[in-house]
Amino acid sequence: MGVPIRLSERRPEVSPDRLLSECVPPPRFADVRFGNYRPNPDEPSQAEILGVLGDRAEVLAEPRKEPTLWSRLRGSKSRGSRSRGSRSRPELEKAGIYLDGGFGVGKTHLLASLWHVSAGPKMYCTFVELTNLVGALGMRPAVAALSEYRLICIDEFELDDPGDTVLISRLLGQLVEAGVQLAATSNTLPDKLGEGRFQATDFLREIQGLASNFDVRRIDGPDYRHRGLPVAPEPWTDEQVEQVAAERAGASCDHFVDLYRQLAELHPSKYGALLDGVETVGIQDIRLLTDENVALRLVVLADRMYDRNIPLVASGVPLDQMFSPEMLKGGYRKKYLRAVSRLIALAREGATQPN
């Protein structure tokens, strides 16, 4: 019997260099490729997207032949010189491709596959990680660093507030001008981003500008993680969670309240580092969530756990009931459903792990 890790007692620090170095597909998607994506035969859009991405991959597999716009303009103080130096993109009609679809249809698998076959330099991150990176570096240094990439893949693209909208609109606009190719996944069409979360109509120009950079492709289908499976596993007891955490190497164990209070003290960019060395997450007494801020922090933690293939053992409210009915009707509904889908998948893994 060992002493479980207490996430609620950790105080991780993360440097900008670490944030940038970690911008690669997470362990769960390290080995995915187009060849091991299995389209649902009942959903033609899944097979169709393979062909579309295959064509794009052929272009992206070739190194960028010209220096980046940022490199050519480095040292220039004239805005006019930027315009004169800009170039068209001869290879692809749109600077990016945007995969829209529900949960568990393989969007992230496809996005990571595109990254794997593309020539470097290249970057892979979630939308939250991208905004965190810009916040850590500052806008101008971020544009300078990211303009050197051939391809930037952005998983779970979303706009939660006006600040994100303006920030990402400026960033991606400058990256596209520099010749960077983009690929993104989301549960929301680009021109619908922000709806139900803030007064998106006030930022329509920025949202439409973002949308214009992408070839939008819809992927239909049911969540593969739950096909023919129970909605959620039976919760453990508090005692069982504590015991499993003590018996498994690298396991953590925290009371739900202690954990979400800890998350409130940390910037979301540190949630990945919070899980360093953790091989199983144990959470006792999960409760019904009614506070939006607490819920959104837990969504980010769930994403980082899922990226890292960290099994979950949990007691309390069943995972498919942890978000209140009101939340599941609101503007963040898709985020919460994604978190439920991922947590249930991790809980099934946690139930099958040997102690």
Side-chain angles (χ1 to χ4, degrees):
M1 300 282 286
V3 178
I5 298 166
R6 304 294 180 186
L7 299 180
S8 53
E9 297 175 359
R10 288 186 159 190
R11 299 292 184 272
E13 292 297 329
V14 182
S15 68
D17 286 344
R18 173 172 172 171
L19 290 176
L20 197 56
S21 69
E22 291 181 341
C23 289
V24 297
R28 180 176 289 273
F29 299 100
D31 298 322
V32 300
R33 298 293 187 274
F34 291 130
N36 53 32
Y37 177 74
R38 298 290 177 261
N40 185 333
D42 297 325
E43 302 292 345
S45 62
Q46 294 187 16
E48 180 182 345
I49 195 62
L50 276 177
V52 172
L53 289 174
D55 291 343
R56 183 167 286 261
E58 286 186 16
V59 174
L60 293 175
E62 297 294 328
R64 184 154 51 182
K65 296 180 177 62
E66 302 177 36
T68 65
L69 179 60
W70 185 269
S71 296
R72 297 200 307 274
L73 296 177
R74 187 169 289 151
S76 171
K77 298 180 180 180
S78 168
R79 185 175 180 87
S81 66
R82 173 184 294 269
S83 175
R84 290 190 299 272
S86 62
R87 63 182 177 87
S88 61
R89 298 183 302 276
E91 301 165 322
L92 296 167
E93 183 179 346
K94 294 276 189 176
I97 187 163
Y98 189 103
L99 307 181
D100 170 64
F103 316 102
V105 296
K107 301 188 303 297
T108 302
H109 182 131
L110 292 168
L111 185 71
S113 298
L114 181 65
W115 185 92
H116 283 302
V117 301
S118 298
K122 54 191 177 181
M123 172 180 169
Y124 183 104
C125 61
T126 65
F127 180 84
V128 170
E129 288 169 334
L130 180 61
T131 56
N132 291 339
L133 181 64
V134 177
L137 297 178
M139 176 60 78
R140 184 175 175 84
V143 172
L146 303 186
S147 291
E148 300 301 322
Y149 287 100
R150 173 81 164 102
L151 169 70
I152 295 178
C153 294
I154 309 167
D155 200 18
E156 301 157 12
F157 201 102
E158 54 203 5
L159 296 178
D160 293 337
D161 59 60
D164 280 352
T165 302
V166 175
L167 178 78
I168 295 302
S169 177
R170 286 180 56 201
L171 175 69
L172 296 189
Q174 292 184 59
L175 295 181
V176 168
E177 185 181 357
V180 178
Q181 295 292 323
L182 306 172
T185 71
S186 182
N187 301 312
T188 306
L189 289 169
D191 59 357
K192 302 297 182 183
L193 289 165
E195 284 191 354
R197 305 177 188 182
F198 62 92
Q199 197 63 27
T201 53
D202 292 343
F203 298 87
L204 190 59
R205 182 175 65 181
E206 286 84 359
I207 293 172
Q208 288 177 337
L210 285 172
S212 68
N213 293 318
F214 292 101
D215 174 11
V216 180
R217 299 286 175 157
R218 173 75 186 177
I219 307 176
D220 298 306
D223 187 335
Y224 80 91
R225 289 183 288 264
H226 296 170
R227 290 172 191 164
L229 296 173
V231 173
E234 191 71 21
W236 301 60
T237 66
D238 289 350
E239 294 74 20
Q240 287 173 325
V241 172
E242 185 77 38
Q243 181 178 354
V244 167
E247 293 175 349
R248 294 186 186 178
S252 69
C253 184
D254 293 88
H255 190 278
F256 187 60
V257 175
D258 293 337
L259 181 58
Y260 72 61
R261 285 176 177 169
Q262 165 71 339
L263 296 180
E265 299 296 321
L266 296 176
H267 190 276
S269 64
K270 299 180 179 180
Y271 289 8
L274 184 68
L275 297 167
D276 283 352
V278 176
E279 298 180 25
T280 298
V281 167
I283 304 176
Q284 295 174 308
D285 193 22
I286 288 182
R287 302 177 181 183
L288 178 69
L289 290 168
T290 56
D291 185 312
E292 206 93 74
N293 292 318
V294 173
L296 290 172
R297 293 185 193 110
L298 286 164
V299 167
V300 177
L301 181 66
D303 288 340
R304 300 293 79 77
M305 289 171 56
Y306 187 77
D307 288 345
R308 290 161 174 76
N309 286 318
I310 301 177
L312 171 67
V313 292
S315 62
V317 172
L319 295 170
D320 57 352
Q321 299 175 31
M322 65 184 293
F323 297 101
S324 71
E326 292 74 22
M327 286 183 171
L328 295 179
K329 296 176 184 176
Y332 299 105
R333 175 178 179 272
K334 291 182 178 180
K335 273 192 170 187
Y336 298 145
L337 290 176
R338 183 185 76 223
V340 168
S341 173
R342 292 184 164 186
L343 289 172
I344 288 174
L346 295 176
R348 290 195 182 113
E349 293 178 13
T352 60
Q353 292 277 323
N355 291 344

